[in-house]
Amino acid sequence: MDASSREAQRTDVLIGGAGFAGLALAIALRQGLGSAFSVTVADPALARGASDPRASAIVAAARRLFETIGVWQAVEAQPIVDMVVTDSRLQDAVRPTFLTFDGDVEPDEPFAHMIENGPLLAALVAKAKEEGVVLRPTAVVEFSLSPRPGSAEENAARAPSRRVEVELADGTALAARLLVAADGAHSAIRERAGIASHGWSYGQSAIVTTVAHERDHHGRAEEHFLPAGPFAILPLTDAAAIGHRSSIVWTEAAQEAARIVALPDPEFYAELERRFGLHLGEIAAVGPRRVRPLGLSVARAFIADRLALVGDAAHVIHPIAGQGLNMGLKDVAALAEVIVDAVRLGLDPGSLAVLDRYQRWRRFDTVAMGIATDGLNRLFSNRSDVLRLARDIGLGLVDRLPVLKHFFIREAAGLVGEVPKLLRGEAL
Ligand SMILES: Cc1cc2nc3c(=O)[nH]c(=O)nc-3n(C[C@H](O)[C@H](O)[C@H](O)COP(=O)(O)OP(=O)(O)OC[C@H]3O[C@@H](n4cnc5c(N)ncnc54)[C@H](O)[C@@H]3O)c2cc1C
């Protein structure tokens, strides 16, 4: 049925996608603009509950956002107190350390924490309900501008009366001043809007799992650059009946990753142990194994008429630096600030003039991060001895220059450049 043929329910902003980005944006908007500003989030995953078994590194800036919107207090987070980086071959008996980060970005503020995705998503859903966000457990399927651009009605209408008419999979029709695509890497909303993405596949996949180990990790994260790609050991909080745990993000060539995850348990553990080592004592895999293909993609535009893209819908990068979600939260903080400022000035939050501020704020930074992670992956995921020497000299230099190291820690923590208010820990 055509959405325009039914009486559409009105909402100021409709967000398609209830992942971290969509939910955080919805909460920030309600907190910034109050109950007179209506926000709806639609996602079929809302019916399934928070079942994501993965874990994520949340950098200091993103943690400040979660603290400011009042969800950080509801999750258990493991501070990353230091990080070691090694660059070696799989068969090397010893992995020399080239870089160590043991800095706080501010006194007593670690540069990152590890959280489990499931509890954080559950906390976001609970907070969204508390703030009066309307949650609809169904997908966005269609949308069109109303009145149609260039039509006589549109020319007669004042800009604030224009809407985007959206049809949900359950047949509901909604009319919003702004539609936000927060529907992830394969964003159907972005595609429906005709916005192309640039990028490529890396021919690599990441194997993700959780490992229990005998000894305490003491909050240390490890990134081992192996020829097939990075193998990261990221500390998690201890769990009852399991004890010490770490999250593994293990990059391999796509075919090899598919082979490894399909192995029977004993062989899978043997492959895991070859990479993990025995420095934390005996290890046992305790979580499900998942495999995710890796690629780079950046949307050609982050906005269109009454449409804004955030999170993976706008960009997907290599997890080599654990920055994908953190970049999405930077989008959220910037878009929330732009919308709140505009509405307080009486401006139309869906107009291109308002949205353009968001695009200028975020697109360059995103392209720069995309290029940086792409370069890192190319530099490290190869077998060239010449490149290996060059990168080891580079890493060694950074390790010996405190000023440079402090800059990289603040950069990795998301605190460099024009930082939006929520990422500085300031309410909107
Ligand atoms: C192996 C790996 C490790 C990673 N580790 C880290 C890390 O440590 N730190 C970090 O910052 N990032 C990390 N990332 C990146 C991070 O996982 C993503 O950037 C993040 O999950 C994206 O969040 P999002 O809210 O944009 O999208 P998603 O989490 O993908 O959410 C999109 C939502 O949209 C919904 N949806 C889809 N279609 C529709 C529709 N038509 N209508 C309505 N809803 C729809 C989906 O159901 C889903 O709930 C990692 C990625 C990988 C692959």
Side-chain angles (χ1 to χ4, degrees):
M1 198 187 340
D2 177 0
S4 60
S5 64
R6 272 173 280 115
E7 183 60 26
Q9 298 167 29
R10 291 196 162 215
T11 183
D12 286 308
V13 173
L14 172 61
I15 300 170
F20 293 108
L23 289 167
L25 178 66
I27 296 165
L29 290 177
R30 288 287 291 188
Q31 290 178 345
L33 292 168
S35 56
F37 193 82
S38 53
V39 180
T40 304
V41 179
D43 186 336
L46 286 165
R48 296 196 291 270
S51 59
D52 188 340
R54 287 179 303 154
S56 302
I58 300 291
V59 299
R63 195 211 71 245
R64 290 179 187 183
L65 177 148
F66 285 132
E67 236 168 42
T68 310
I69 65 171
V71 296
W72 189 252
Q73 300 75 352
V75 296
E76 271 191 38
Q78 168 65 49
I80 299 184
V81 295
D82 74 358
M83 179 158 184
V84 295
V85 177
T86 71
D87 181 15
S88 51
R89 300 180 194 89
L90 194 49
Q91 66 274 19
D92 290 351
V94 178
R95 290 181 182 164
T97 299
F98 281 97
L99 191 59
T100 54
F101 284 115
D102 53 2
D104 291 350
V105 282
E106 299 290 341
D108 294 328
E109 185 179 17
F111 74 93
H113 283 78
M114 284 301 295
I115 54 93
E116 288 170 84
N117 290 9
L120 183 57
L121 273 174
L124 283 163
V125 169
K127 183 53 108 184
K129 285 183 184 157
E130 192 185 309
E131 297 292 345
V133 174
V134 179
L135 298 176
R136 291 184 170 269
T138 185
V140 168
V141 283
E142 282 290 340
F143 58 90
S144 57
L145 290 178
S146 170
R148 279 199 314 283
S151 66
E153 303 97 285
E154 194 223 21
N155 293 337
R158 290 199 343 266
S161 65
R162 289 185 45 210
R163 300 260 161 181
V164 51
E165 298 234 336
V166 184
E167 187 174 340
L168 303 182
D170 67 1
T172 312
L174 291 170
R177 294 163 81 188
L178 173 67
L179 171 63
V180 178
D183 54 342
H186 306 289
S187 171
I189 301 177
R190 183 191 65 226
E191 272 176 31
R192 176 83 183 77
I195 300 176
S197 273
H198 294 299
W200 44 81
S201 157
Y202 286 117
Q204 291 172 318
S205 293
I207 302 169
V208 185
T209 191
T210 303
V211 168
H213 39 80
E214 235 176 345
R215 293 198 203 106
D216 196 345
H217 46 52
H218 296 294
R220 166 169 287 185
E222 299 175 32
E223 184 136 29
H224 300 289
F225 287 111
L226 300 171
F231 179 87
I233 304 174
L234 303 158
L236 295 177
T237 52
D238 288 355
I242 295 176
H244 307 307
R245 300 176 306 155
S246 292
S247 171
I248 303 297
V249 182
W250 166 5
T251 308
E252 290 286 344
Q255 273 191 339
E256 180 64 358
R259 182 190 73 78
I260 291 173
V261 281
L263 288 172
D265 285 353
E267 283 120 273
F268 177 77
Y269 299 152
E271 290 283 0
L272 183 62
E273 206 176 85
R274 280 177 74 203
R275 289 155 180 87
F276 195 104
L278 289 169
H279 58 297
L280 293 176
E282 291 291 318
I283 61 168
V286 287
R289 314 166 193 170
R290 312 238 158 176
V291 64
R292 294 267 302 263
L294 301 180
L296 171 79
S297 81
V298 180
R300 226 190 161 104
F302 282 15
I303 60 166
D305 212 358
R306 302 210 168 267
L307 177 70
L309 274 48
V310 293
D312 277 18
H315 44 71
V316 178
I317 59 167
H318 197 288
I320 193 163
Q323 291 287 348
L325 169 61
N326 292 299
M327 276 169 66
L329 293 169
K330 211 162 176 182
D331 301 341
V332 164
L335 183 59
E337 192 168 325
V338 163
I339 294 175
V340 168
D341 287 354
V343 172
R344 285 189 186 144
L345 289 171
L347 301 175
D348 175 3
S351 71
L352 276 175
V354 167
L355 295 177
D356 191 50
R357 185 179 159 215
Y358 164 64
Q359 170 155 274
R360 278 186 282 114
W361 199 343
R362 290 299 304 136
R363 201 161 179 284
F364 176 74
D365 185 51
T366 304
V367 171
M369 179 62 87
I371 292 171
T373 51
D374 185 72
L376 273 178
N377 186 47
R378 281 170 203 276
L379 187 60
F380 283 98
S381 300
N382 66 66
R383 290 166 205 281
S384 156
D385 284 336
V386 178
L387 276 182
R388 184 154 180 244
L389 182 67
R391 68 199 180 211
D392 293 348
I393 290 171
L395 286 178
L397 269 179
V398 174
D399 204 38
R400 279 172 197 82
L401 290 174
V403 176
L404 204 54
K405 208 156 139 178
H406 190 66
F407 172 79
F408 279 121
I409 291 173
R410 289 191 66 81
E411 176 81 38
L415 295 168
V416 172
E418 195 191 348
V419 181
K421 277 187 190 163
L422 284 169
L423 299 186
R424 299 198 303 256
E426 295 167 28
L428 292 176

